[in-house]
Amino acid sequence: MSILTIPTQPFSDQKPGTSGLRKKVPHFQQPHYLQNFVQSIFDSIDVPAGATLALGGDGRYYNREAIQIILKMAAAHGFAKVLVGQGGILSTPAASCVIRKFNTYGGIILSASHNPGGPSEDFGIKYNTANGGPAPEKVTEAIYARSREISQYRILDAPDVALDVVGMSQLGDMQVEVIDAVADYADLMADLFDFAAIRALLASGFRIKFDAMHAVNGPYAREILVNRLGAPADSVMNAVPLEDFGGGHPDPNLTYAHELVDIVYGEDAPDFGAASDGDGDRNMILGQRFFVTPSDSLAIIAANATLIPAYRNGIAGVARSMPTSAAVDRVAAALNIPCYETPTGWKFFGNLMDAGKVTLCGEESFGTGSSHVREKDGLWAVLCWLNIVAVRQQSVEAIVRAHWAEYGRNVYSRHDYEALPTEAANGIMQHLRAQFGTLPGSTLGSYQVATCDDFSYTDPIDGSISKAQGIRILFTDGSRIVFRLSGTGTDGATVRLYLEAYEPDAARHCLDAQDALSEMILIAGQVSELHARSGREQPTVIT
């Protein structure tokens, strides 16, 4: 076996987005494309002697082939060892767990998260640093800069490595250890939660249904919910990870997880429903015929955190992405703990957690997590809810309504306009920015505009500044409209519209969010000219 140096030329489109580099599979299959990006990672992170790397992905199409390429390149760049999830599969939160547990020099995660998989669908790659979290912008900018000047990459000329059996093998001078990452992750969850209380809840006749959406969390859910907590085997559905996610869209929301939604809203519905996405970091929580918004879920977990053993002594603080509703802000104020508002992207929470400033974090895009790892964590959120239900002995709906009665309801919804022409999406944002001088002080329907801006964030730990993170129209009563271009898709551009109104009146808490926000939805369409500029009369997804 020898190390080959392969001449190459830069690709102009390897700038990482919110969560790494995402493109269609055929794009990644271009000669040298993946290799260029991996070389750019290795050139940018200053690999020390004797370093260990974590490696795995969500099992989507091209996962196994990419892992073999990365292993051979790691061997050519002086890594002493690579820990690989069995079968090449590693959920994103489990990857963070592995990085932190084994003190690796970061890890490479192969995933396009909640996007579809298959030969013509999406693929992605990102580097997580030694704290277990996504690389900060200074690292991703260095990777991008390197990708624009690369002229060669190094790779070991060697046969592929067996990935399906736990154990050790040799690749040149580098060890490859295939690990049971499911057990590592399940052990961590057992340390955090009151498994005895959850086990008793499930034994009492409380029925659950978890939809793994043929994605990475199937094995993790079966190990934890069925094997360790005693739920019936049929409590986990679509549990076998498939390269194309069974032809579905592994995004845990009311639109794409319709199979689960039909069950939870149907006859003989279970007491609790949940789903997670392609790489296992997102979650959807449902009670019996009742949907919990991700913003409410974060707030309720924060308000009830001391019922969970890991947080029995309280939480240091909370953080939310800017588009996430202010429901958790009200909990933080009541608990007298800090609440931070950051741009979208889990990487912005890492510094706050590393500095001990926050314990719980959340994004409205169905992502919730804590400082136990440095990624959002779908199954962790599910276990939070089961632990809270087990202690409170109330239904999901009763817990949510009691929370609203105490704190008021932040009525909230997100409308996604997916796969728009990039020019049209940029035009919508430019049209909104052009109104910054005239909107403040104006009256839109029954709302008066207090201010509007393009959200900017200064990291309180390292002082880094992130600009143009989303356009906010803030009203005098605390309501708001937010527009943001998403950085997680691979086809065209996605405009996300966020709508929020605070409702203190318990008599109006039963209103459907779309009805309660109907005037604001109309205002948002008018001020943005969204429908005319996008050519769409309706959103692709409403949550």
Side-chain angles (χ1 to χ4, degrees), residues 42 47-54 70-84 103-105 156 168-177:
F42 291 156
V47 180
T52 298
L53 181 75
I70 295 167
L71 283 172
K72 294 168 190 175
M73 292 187 69
H77 285 81
F79 279 95
K81 190 175 188 179
V82 177
L83 304 177
V84 188
N103 297 312
T104 74
Y105 195 70
L156 188 69
M168 197 82 72
S169 60
Q170 200 72 21
L171 188 59
D173 295 329
M174 183 182 81
Q175 289 184 324
V176 178
E177 184 177 0

Side-chain angles (χ1 to χ4, degrees), residues 301-303 305-306 311 313-318 331 335 337-338 357-360:
I301 291 171
T306 55
Y311 316 109
N313 295 325
I315 54 179
V318 295
V331 175
L335 296 176
I337 58 174
K357 299 290 187 182
V358 302
T359 305
L360 303 182

Side-chain angles (χ1 to χ4, degrees), residues 73-233:
M73 292 187 69
H77 285 81
F79 279 95
K81 190 175 188 179
V82 177
L83 304 177
V84 188
Q86 189 173 8
I89 292 179
L90 199 60
S91 79
T92 292
S96 185
C97 169
V98 167
I99 291 169
R100 294 171 65 81
K101 178 177 179 177
F102 296 102
N103 297 312
T104 74
Y105 195 70
I108 292 178
I109 301 174
L110 304 173
S111 173
S113 186
H114 54 293
N115 295 346
S120 61
E121 295 294 349
D122 298 343
F123 190 77
I125 176 172
K126 68 173 182 174
Y127 174 70
N128 278 31
T129 57
N131 76 340
E137 287 187 331
K138 63 181 180 181
V139 176
T140 57
E141 286 297 330
I143 293 170
Y144 177 51
R146 179 60 183 155
S147 77
R148 299 179 66 182
E149 61 186 22
I150 190 172
S151 61
Q152 62 184 32
Y153 62 86
R154 300 194 305 281
I155 188 168
L156 188 69
D157 182 16
D160 287 353
V161 179
L163 300 176
D164 294 316
V165 178
V166 172
M168 197 82 72
S169 60
Q170 200 72 21
L171 188 59
D173 295 329
M174 183 182 81
Q175 289 184 324
V176 178
E177 184 177 0
V178 176
I179 62 172
D180 182 358
V182 172
D184 290 324
Y185 176 83
D187 289 344
L188 176 59
M189 295 301 105
D191 288 339
L192 299 175
F193 296 101
D194 188 344
F195 270 24
I198 300 173
R199 196 177 297 113
L201 173 72
L202 298 178
S204 72
F206 185 90
R207 294 185 299 136
I208 67 173
K209 184 70 75 172
F210 179 87
D211 188 357
M213 303 189 81
H214 287 304
V216 73
N217 255 350
Y220 296 86
R222 281 191 298 198
E223 173 62 22
I224 294 170
L225 299 176
V226 177
N227 296 347
R228 300 200 184 196
L229 293 174

Side-chain angles (χ1 to χ4, degrees), residues 400-455:
V400 174
R401 294 197 182 280
H403 183 88
W404 290 344
E406 181 175 357
Y407 294 96
R409 182 185 178 191
N410 285 72
V411 186
Y412 184 85
S413 185
R414 185 182 95 190
H415 292 198
D416 291 354
Y417 291 80
E418 296 178 345
L420 298 182
T422 301
E423 183 177 348
N426 288 333
I428 291 168
M429 304 300 282
Q430 291 165 4
H431 176 66
L432 288 163
R433 291 189 184 98
Q435 299 174 74
F436 280 3
T438 57
L439 276 176
S442 66
T443 299
L444 302 177
S446 59
Y447 295 92
Q448 185 173 6
V449 179
T451 186
C452 53
D453 64 11
D454 205 339
F455 181 65

